[in-house]
Amino acid sequence: MELIMQVDYSGLWARLKEKGIKNKTDLIPLANISTNIVAKLNKGEFISMDSLQKICMALNCDLGDICILNKEVNHE
């Protein structure tokens, strides 16, 4: 058994919706991040702490407000 950590950005998408931001790509100029970062966010992939910090600063929130880590057990 192997423990796998997956990141869940549903808090980020909810935060954008609360702020009236309808298009995820609007986060690019707002947080000064690249399109590649938004693509990774959409896929639920890990991004750098630097990028997470930029997003938190832009949305005036904490890291726990925009993402959580989920643990899954791989039974292979």
Side-chain angles (χ1 to χ4, degrees):
M1 267 191 314
E2 178 184 9
L3 187 62
I4 300 171
M5 300 292 282
Q6 293 186 328
V7 64
D8 178 358
Y9 295 111
S10 57
L12 171 59
W13 311 132
R15 189 86 177 186
L16 290 177
K17 191 174 182 179
E18 287 171 13
K19 297 233 179 226
I21 300 169
K22 296 176 182 168
N23 193 337
K24 294 176 183 179
T25 56
D26 291 341
L27 189 57
I28 295 167
L30 185 67
N32 193 27
I33 58 173
S34 69
T35 55
N36 187 37
I37 297 299
V38 174
K40 286 183 173 195
L41 291 167
N42 277 322
K43 294 177 189 174
E45 296 178 1
F46 289 98
I47 61 171
S48 72
M49 286 300 293
D50 183 53
S51 296
L52 288 169
Q53 180 183 13
K54 288 178 180 181
I55 294 167
C56 287
M57 296 281 286
L59 299 177
N60 193 27
C61 64
D62 291 322
L63 186 58
D65 296 331
I66 61 170
C67 68
I68 56 171
L69 289 177
N70 292 323
K71 297 176 187 175
E72 285 189 10
V73 176
N74 185 356
H75 295 284
E76 293 181 357

